[in-house]
Amino acid sequence: MSVTTTVDTSTLRTLQRVILPDAVQTDVIPLYVDAGAATGVQLPTREDGDSSKTFAQAAAAQEQSKASSSQPADAGDVLGRRSTQVAQGKSLSFGTYFNAFPASYWRRWTELRTVYLSVKTEGEGMIVVYKSNARGVIQRVDANVVSGRQESVFELTLNPFGDGGWYWFDLGASRGDLELVEANWLGDITPRTGDAGGKATVQITTMNKVSYCIDNIRVLGENIDVFDSVKELLIVDQGTDKVQDHPDFEEVVAPLAGKFRIINQGNLGGSGGFARGMYESVNNGSDYVLLLDDDVVVEPESILRLITFADYCKNPTIVGGHMFDMYDRTVLHAFGEVVNPWRTFYDRPHDDMSLGHDLGRSNLRNTHWLHRRVDVDYNGWWMCLIPTEVINKIGLSLPLFLKWDDAEYGLRAKEAGIATVSFPGAGLWHVSWTDKDDSVGWQAYFHERNRLITALIHSPFEKGGSVMRESLFLDVKHALSMQYYTEEGRLMALEDLLSGPEHLHESLSERLPVIRGKAKNYIDAQLKSDIDAYPAPKSKKPPFKGRRNFSPPSYGKLLPWTAKTVGRQAFVPVDEQAQQNPQIQLSYQENRWWTVSRFDSLLVTNAEGTGVFWYKRDPKELRSKLAKAASLHAKLFKDWAKLRAQYRNAAQDVASYEAWKNTFDKHTESELTR
């Protein structure tokens, strides 16, 4: 590995371009450039004795040391999308999320074994190339002194990156300022898809989130070079507030002339919208479909990176992007996700991974676990590229309306020998899960039913592992929390699950109105934006000696504690005063079932902070809900093997092109092209 002048970079293929954010996006600068030195606490290189503790301590010391010594890059030095300036005596690192080269992913999933780094500069200074290993140990690779306007090319091997690691480079200005004109990571092999590369249908499913769609169409139109790899941008509009009716619509779609289409269809949920994108991508001859959520802000270069990486993968591979927090934009929600097979539940690929990691406080170079390659079961459909070869092989999404459609598809692909890669350097911004709670209300139906369907089809365990036990526990939890409307939806989900897979396509359009229609029967489903619309909290004396929050029961005491609480809630009369006035008001953070279940009546703020629910204990409702939950779970346990066979046998037909075509024919309203 060395600086080379013998390679003609015009004969190489661009794998990844170094990019900078718009000048107004100062809050995301740390995702693109990082100021400060690339040295820190050296991690241990041997693992013997008390090595795990030593490694953890060294890693923590490294992160703390680097975080405290790093400095934010100056957004004013950014000259354009590809160019920036380093002031005299300063240094700038591109060892960041969007600009480091994820060497281990290219090493694992493609035939690439050598990558070339081309850096064009003007001025005097130095380029230093670094790499990391899977443990986050940083190693200096090469350097070059630059003067005037020149191109430096580094030939770098991918051989040592079996388990993880990145390449990146730093710039240091010596006499005068140093300008980065542009930099690119280049490869010398032909893509699996051929010289021209693949073309993708970029598809957004939307439901009454017009402003987000218009903004994303505008951003894509302003980065039209990305569309060299895009066959069309397709909006599947399932709302009543239509994207095409926005006053800026004609203006923002103008740059995409000939590559833009809207399909208006009835509300078939996320899976119905994304399945439409899959269906249309097969019909229009695309090599891929890129599924995007509507309420996102896209980094447009990510589209090009996903398509490029997928082109080079050894075999057809699902390639997804990462999700950053819309409202805290340097926070990475998750670096990769798997499904815990025993629980059939979302999980992290490894224990030292941190959810909600802030790259503004501890950037890539400072965070040891980000250097380990992460292998995943699925990628969220906020941003996921699926080859049409895969769709032709395993079908479209299951008609699950929403929840679990992306995870189920990833598991189905995995069982068919198709890998999913969550690819670093490709991402977008989305409202994080911490700012909403979709486990309560009408969405609880889909969480319950679709998790159990996924377990029936994919669980390797005879009775689905712990999924039935956890399901019954959640029923008890919601009932004890006085969330009777939520529990009604969960019980409906069990009834529909037990009826077999034949209901799935019909339920796309029919089930949601029924679930929402039941909300009027439950006071706990009535959200009011003004807390003064409720009676003021009042009681003869503060219950539980005025305590507002409680510790959860320990695991060993959970069953007797729950039994005692169920007994109290089911048979002890409700306090008369609590019938008329809530006893307490809790914030969303305090809304935990072991706290809520101790009261007879209380006000609780929702996750978004937009309103307040009034929960009231109803012993009769509790007894009815828990008796039905026990009965349905007993039947599920008894019929598990039969249901598993039914759902597994039906899955291929239910997800087939023909089944979805029949559904789309019934629910398509109109189509618009520009």
Side-chain angles (χ1 to χ4, degrees):
M1 57 187 74
S2 61
V3 182
T4 176
T5 58
T6 60
V7 174
D8 180 4
T9 56
S10 66
T11 65
L12 302 176
R13 298 174 183 271
T14 301
L15 307 178
Q16 178 176 309
R17 305 187 296 191
V18 169
I19 55 172
L20 284 303
D22 295 334
V24 297
Q25 297 183 354
T26 57
D27 55 337
V28 298
I29 282 284
L31 302 182
Y32 297 83
V33 289
D34 187 17
T39 57
V41 177
Q42 178 69 32
L43 301 186
T45 56
R46 296 190 61 190
E47 296 202 8
D48 50 14
D50 194 17
S51 60
S52 61
K53 183 177 180 181
T54 302
F55 180 86
Q57 290 175 337
Q62 180 199 41
E63 293 181 15
Q64 182 178 3
S65 171
K66 291 187 175 182
S68 62
S69 64
S70 64
Q71 304 168 2
D74 186 351
D77 293 340
V78 175
L79 303 177
R81 184 65 164 155
R82 309 288 313 284
S83 180
T84 190
Q85 186 168 278
V86 184
Q88 180 180 358
K90 301 292 185 180
S91 64
L92 198 64
S93 177
F94 292 85
T96 57
Y97 177 84
F98 279 122
N99 282 320
F101 186 76
S104 65
Y105 291 80
W106 285 90
R107 170 74 166 81
R108 170 65 181 87
W109 300 109
T110 77
E111 300 288 356
L112 191 73
R113 290 298 174 266
T114 301
V115 63
Y116 297 86
L117 170 62
S118 166
V119 185
K120 295 180 181 179
T121 54
E122 184 166 358
E124 295 192 11
M126 178 175 286
I127 304 168
V128 184
V129 180
Y130 292 94
K131 71 175 181 178
S132 63
N133 63 20
R135 294 181 297 157
V137 176
I138 296 174
Q139 301 168 344
R140 186 180 188 274
V141 176
D142 209 340
N144 191 37
V145 176
V146 294
S147 180
R149 191 176 183 93
Q150 72 177 77
E151 178 183 20
S152 303
V153 180
F154 299 86
E155 183 177 349
L156 307 166
T157 179
L158 296 186
N159 287 337
F161 294 92
D163 291 333
W166 303 65
Y167 274 124
W168 66 87
F169 67 95
D170 288 7
L171 294 179
S174 54
R175 288 177 291 183
D177 295 344
L178 177 65
E179 179 184 341
L180 172 69
V181 178
E182 67 173 51
N184 298 283
W185 300 92
L186 309 169
D188 58 1
I189 64 173
T190 302
R192 173 182 51 84
T193 51
D195 288 334
K199 301 285 187 182
T201 290
V202 178
Q203 188 262 321
I204 299 174
T205 296
T206 188
M207 171 80 172
N208 296 333
K209 292 180 180 174
V210 174
S211 60
Y212 280 108
C213 285
I214 291 295
D215 288 344
N216 280 314
I217 296 168
R218 180 181 286 111
V219 166
L220 295 176
E222 292 170 351
N223 292 268
I224 201 65
D225 55 333
V226 171
F227 272 70
D228 291 342
S229 298
V230 174
K231 195 172 188 72
E232 74 170 341
L233 173 60
L234 172 65
I235 307 290
V236 177
D237 193 339
Q238 302 186 135
T240 54
D241 187 9
K242 294 297 183 183
V243 173
Q244 66 196 60
D245 294 334
H246 191 279
D248 295 343
F249 174 73
E250 294 294 346
E251 174 193 344
V252 300
V253 300
L256 310 180
K259 287 193 172 185
F260 183 84
R261 184 161 55 118
I262 287 180
I263 294 176
N264 294 296
Q265 70 180 24
N267 183 17
L268 303 179
S271 67
F274 290 133
R276 189 63 182 260
M278 296 177 177
Y279 175 87
E280 296 295 332
S281 69
V282 171
N283 282 352
N284 68 21
S286 295
D287 300 289
Y288 310 101
V289 60
L290 175 57
L291 306 177
L292 293 175
D293 260 344
D294 54 355
D295 53 346
V296 300
V297 174
V298 177
E299 164 50 76
E301 192 76 8
S302 299
I303 296 174
L304 192 58
R305 291 182 180 182
L306 291 178
I307 296 171
T308 300
F309 183 74
D311 281 346
Y312 280 91
C313 284
K314 301 172 189 175
N315 301 298
T317 302
I318 299 171
V319 185
H322 293 116
M323 189 190 98
F324 287 88
D325 191 329
M326 177 79 77
Y327 301 122
D328 196 356
R329 299 187 68 196
T330 56
V331 173
L332 179 63
H333 177 71
F335 200 58
E337 294 178 287
V338 298
V339 175
N340 183 315
W342 176 247
R343 300 182 60 208
T344 309
F345 202 70
Y346 314 117
D347 206 349
R348 296 171 293 172
H350 54 82
D351 290 339
D352 56 343
M353 174 183 288
S354 174
L355 297 179
H357 178 73
D358 189 352
L359 287 165
R361 297 181 63 185
S362 180
N363 215 325
L364 173 65
R365 297 182 303 158
N366 311 337
T367 310
H368 75 281
W369 59 262
L370 285 172
H371 296 259
R372 180 193 300 192
R373 192 192 72 246
V374 170
D375 297 332
V376 302
D377 289 333
Y378 72 100
N379 196 92
W381 283 357
W382 52 75
M383 187 178 212
C384 190
L385 186 82
I386 303 175
T388 49
E389 289 177 75
V390 172
I391 299 170
N392 287 327
K393 182 176 181 179
I394 70 171
L396 287 70
S397 168
L398 283 183
L400 301 181
F401 194 81
L402 50 78
K403 309 302 175 191
W404 283 95
D405 45 358
D406 47 11
E408 188 284 326
Y409 198 85
L411 293 175
R412 195 188 334 157
K414 185 177 182 179
E415 290 168 5
I418 299 159
T420 297
V421 177
S422 291
F423 186 62
L428 48 67
W429 292 268
H430 190 293
V431 177
S432 81
W433 314 140
T434 59
D435 292 315
K436 53 186 176 181
D437 184 1
D438 55 18
S439 66
V440 296
W442 62 268
Q443 295 186 68
Y445 169 92
F446 298 103
H447 271 291
E448 171 73 347
R449 186 197 63 171
N450 298 347
R451 180 187 179 190
L452 289 169
I453 287 174
T454 303
L456 284 166
I457 295 174
H458 299 290
S459 175
F461 301 102
E462 191 63 29
K463 291 287 186 179
S466 68
V467 69
M468 278 190 280
R469 182 176 71 249
E470 291 188 23
S471 173
L472 183 57
F473 171 75
L474 287 172
D475 286 328
V476 173
K477 184 186 84 167
H478 287 297
L480 290 180
S481 299
M482 295 165 271
Q483 296 166 341
Y484 303 125
Y485 172 60
T486 294
E487 183 55 20
E488 176 70 13
R490 290 178 53 83
L491 296 175
M492 288 173 58
L494 284 166
E495 290 175 328
D496 287 350
L497 178 85
L498 291 165
S499 72
E502 293 76 17
H503 76 282
L504 288 175
H505 271 279
E506 289 72 19
S507 71
L508 283 170
S509 60
E510 296 174 359
R511 217 63 187 128
L512 181 58
V514 175
I515 299 167
R516 283 186 157 164
K518 289 180 177 289
K520 63 181 181 293
N521 302 324
Y522 294 93
I523 188 173
D524 58 278
Q526 312 307 314
L527 181 71
K528 295 185 179 181
S529 59
D530 185 0
I531 191 171
D532 292 329
Y534 294 113
K538 184 187 298 184
S539 60
K540 296 174 184 177
K541 62 178 179 179
F544 305 103
K545 299 180 181 180
R547 294 177 65 186
R548 294 182 56 84
N549 210 340
F550 298 85
S551 300
S554 64
Y555 186 80
K557 297 180 179 179
L558 180 61
L559 286 179
W561 185 93
T562 303
K564 180 180 178 181
T565 304
V566 169
R568 184 188 74 82
Q569 286 214 12
F571 300 108
V572 174
V574 177
D575 180 85
E576 289 185 13
Q577 182 67 56
Q579 298 277 18
Q580 306 303 319
N581 294 82
Q583 297 169 307
I584 195 171
Q585 178 194 348
L586 297 182
S587 67
Y588 177 72
Q589 291 86 346
E590 296 171 313
N591 181 12
R592 299 294 180 261
W593 70 273
W594 55 83
T595 297
V596 172
S597 61
R598 295 173 185 259
F599 296 90
D600 284 352
S601 172
L602 69 163
L603 300 178
V604 178
T605 308
N606 69 344
E608 295 85 352
T610 57
V612 178
F613 293 107
W614 188 359
Y615 293 163
K616 287 185 178 183
R617 180 164 69 88
D618 185 335
K620 182 179 178 181
E621 194 72 38
L622 177 86
R623 293 193 299 267
S624 171
K625 291 285 191 284
L626 290 185
K628 190 172 183 179
S631 174
L632 290 172
H633 279 90
K635 182 170 176 55
L636 178 60
F637 185 85
K638 173 178 170 292
D639 293 346
W640 183 270
K642 181 182 73 173
L643 286 166
R644 180 174 61 182
Q646 289 177 354
Y647 278 91
R648 286 182 175 178
N649 292 337
Q652 183 174 352
D653 290 337
V654 169
S656 69
Y657 182 95
E658 293 75 18
W660 274 108
K661 180 180 185 304
N662 191 38
T663 295
F664 295 143
D665 287 345
K666 293 177 183 177
H667 296 282
T668 300
E669 298 168 354
S670 64
E671 187 172 322
L672 174 71
T673 58
R674 283 292 186 270

